[in-house]
Amino acid sequence: MKILLTRSLHDFAIKELKKRYQVEVHAGKIPMPKDLLISKIRDVDGLICYPYDKIDADIVKAGTKLKAISTFSVGYDHIDVNSASQRGIVVSYTPEVLTRATADLTLALMLDLFRRINEGDRIIRQGKWKTILGPYEFLGSDLHGKTLGIFGMGRIGMAVAKRARGFEMNVLYHNRKRISAQMEKRLNVKYVSLEELFRRSDVVSIHAPHTPKTHEIVNLKLIKKMKRTSFLVNTARGKIINEKDLVTALKRKIISGAALDVFGGEPIDNSNPLTRLSNVVITPHIGSATIETRRKMAEIAVQNLVLSLSGKKPIYQVRTESSRQDLS
Ligand code: 8YV
């Protein structure tokens, strides 16, 4: 069988794949240009892809021999899962192993916003720290006693809730579906409407998947419900926020700041207005980027593909919209 990887993966993973298949690893432009992907996919049985590869209906249709798509990610908004399933193609993904790493980064970003870590770093590097700071200067705020609003109470949202309790925060959440009363009690979280979440939280953190329903759901109207002292954190998908509206809100100081690991289009550079705002902390989509987590993701991406191609159930199969219970 032949398989295609749209970019390289850990050596051990490629080795494992080469034991079983004829492997082609795309080494050129990232993401792989659509024409090239279409011409290559015609000939392969399996595909390993990444969130920036758009695996739309055209790609799926061109993959006449394609039996399995394994994405190196928990998000699968880049794959037309319905088209794939109609053609009997098994789609798999890598949840769970990246939950803690992503939740850790979320807390790191929150701490950064509250305690102005990056801002302080920038001031020193720019030679602007001239005198010892006075009692009222360069103050941040406490996390303890503040309210965190989690939008999307799936695996990552829950891991963030657990960590936030360690910082003695109060936690509200909004999810497409309310979690069980037992789970709410265990996590010590309270369900509220989306509007209430934005209105009452000192920091809102996004952990929902990107779907037609969540596309740019965080717009100026919703951001305007937030307190002027509040922050927004996004480690999920950039397209959940209307980025233009967020820039407007940050410029007009409608909210205090934002920390973003994901963007509407990636990568971003300094032509993006977000990079010029001092009340914004930005990271280059590194939620799952730890040595341990990425290794586990590679292991699972390989196992998912191998199992699917041998006609077995992959470890984590993406279910189609109609068969899905929990969106986040
Ligand atoms: C990426 C992610 O997969 O898992 C996801 O959905 O967005 C990330 O973990 C990772 O950046 C590799 O592209």
Side-chain angles (χ1 to χ4, degrees):
M1 282 191 191
K2 278 192 191 168
I3 65 154
L4 171 70
L5 283 84
T6 62
R7 93 179 292 163
S8 195
L9 199 54
H10 301 62
D11 284 347
F12 80 86
I14 304 280
K15 242 193 209 159
E16 203 51 45
L17 292 168
K18 280 190 173 162
K19 280 187 203 160
R20 297 179 168 83
Y21 315 114
Q22 198 180 318
V23 179
E24 177 167 354
V25 181
H26 170 69
K29 205 166 170 267
I30 304 281
M32 214 172 153
K34 186 167 181 174
D35 300 356
L36 183 62
L37 185 51
I38 285 189
S39 73
K40 297 278 181 189
I41 204 109
R42 292 189 207 290
D43 208 25
V44 302
D45 302 276
L47 175 74
I48 293 192
C49 64
Y50 299 80
Y52 41 78
D53 295 312
K54 208 169 163 27
I55 313 298
D56 59 17
D58 299 337
I59 309 283
V60 169
K61 207 170 131 205
T64 46
K65 291 166 79 184
L66 196 62
K67 296 164 195 68
I69 300 173
S70 165
T71 184
F72 185 81
S73 59
V74 62
Y76 46 83
D77 51 317
H78 54 297
I79 303 172
D80 187 336
V81 179
N82 287 326
S83 291
S85 89
Q86 275 162 23
R87 295 182 151 254
I89 299 167
V90 178
V91 182
S92 54
Y93 68 140
T94 65
E96 275 181 355
V97 289
L98 49 62
T99 300
R100 291 182 179 93
T102 310
D104 288 349
L105 183 77
T106 306
L107 266 294
L109 291 174
M110 264 164 58
L111 282 162
D112 195 327
L113 284 172
F114 276 71
R115 301 304 303 272
R116 306 174 68 177
I117 300 171
N118 254 292
E119 212 183 327
D121 180 285
R122 282 197 298 268
I123 285 171
I124 298 176
R125 289 176 200 270
Q126 290 161 7
K128 290 182 185 161
W129 190 29
K130 299 292 187 198
T131 52
I132 305 281
L133 293 169
Y136 306 116
E137 286 171 318
F138 205 76
L139 305 186
S141 3
D142 287 332
L143 252 77
H144 75 263
K146 296 290 181 344
T147 298
L148 163 64
I150 294 179
F151 173 33
M153 194 53 108
R155 295 181 183 91
I156 299 173
M158 287 184 191
V160 169
K162 276 191 207 157
R163 282 156 178 72
R165 302 297 324 180
F167 284 93
E168 299 171 53
M169 300 183 85
N170 307 310
V171 185
L172 304 175
Y173 81 97
H174 180 79
N175 197 46
R176 191 181 69 133
K177 229 175 98 200
R178 193 168 172 172
I179 61 173
S180 70
Q182 195 190 3
M183 207 57 188
E184 283 184 355
K185 204 169 157 205
R186 194 182 317 156
L187 291 166
N188 204 350
V189 296
K190 189 173 176 288
Y191 177 81
V192 292
S193 70
L194 187 62
E195 195 184 307
E196 199 176 342
L197 189 86
F198 276 70
R199 198 160 39 75
R200 286 178 53 187
S201 301
D202 296 299
V203 52
V204 172
S205 190
I206 301 175
H207 301 288
H210 176 234
T211 67
K213 278 193 184 136
T214 61
H215 183 76
E216 296 191 359
I217 192 167
V218 181
N219 55 18
L220 195 56
K221 192 168 167 235
L222 194 58
I223 297 172
K224 277 185 172 167
K225 310 270 179 220
M226 295 174 78
K227 303 178 198 175
R228 282 198 172 264
T229 50
S230 67
F231 299 107
L232 184 65
V233 177
N234 190 6
T235 54
R237 282 289 181 266
K239 288 183 177 139
I240 296 174
I241 298 180
N242 179 315
E243 221 165 80
K244 263 197 182 150
D245 283 4
L246 177 62
V247 170
T248 304
L250 289 164
K251 278 189 180 156
R252 288 202 217 143
K253 303 267 168 25
I254 291 170
I255 57 172
S256 260
L260 309 167
D261 184 49
V262 287
F263 305 88
E266 296 173 9
I268 62 161
D269 59 25
N270 53 16
S271 66
N272 186 312
L274 285 165
T275 63
R276 291 189 289 277
L277 298 172
S278 64
N279 50 350
V280 173
V281 178
I282 43 179
T283 48
H285 199 146
I286 54 169
S288 67
T290 68
I291 297 165
E292 301 86 348
T293 295
R294 285 285 167 87
R295 198 185 158 87
K296 285 184 204 142
M297 287 170 72
E299 279 168 15
I300 291 180
V302 169
Q303 286 181 47
N304 275 342
L305 190 78
V306 170
L307 287 166
S308 305
L309 286 181
S310 56
K312 297 188 185 122
K313 248 186 105 53
I315 308 176
Y316 298 106
Q317 181 166 359
V318 175
R319 286 164 293 162
T320 54
E321 192 61 42
S322 54
S323 66
R324 234 167 339 139
Q325 303 292 316
D326 175 16
L327 253 182
S328 35

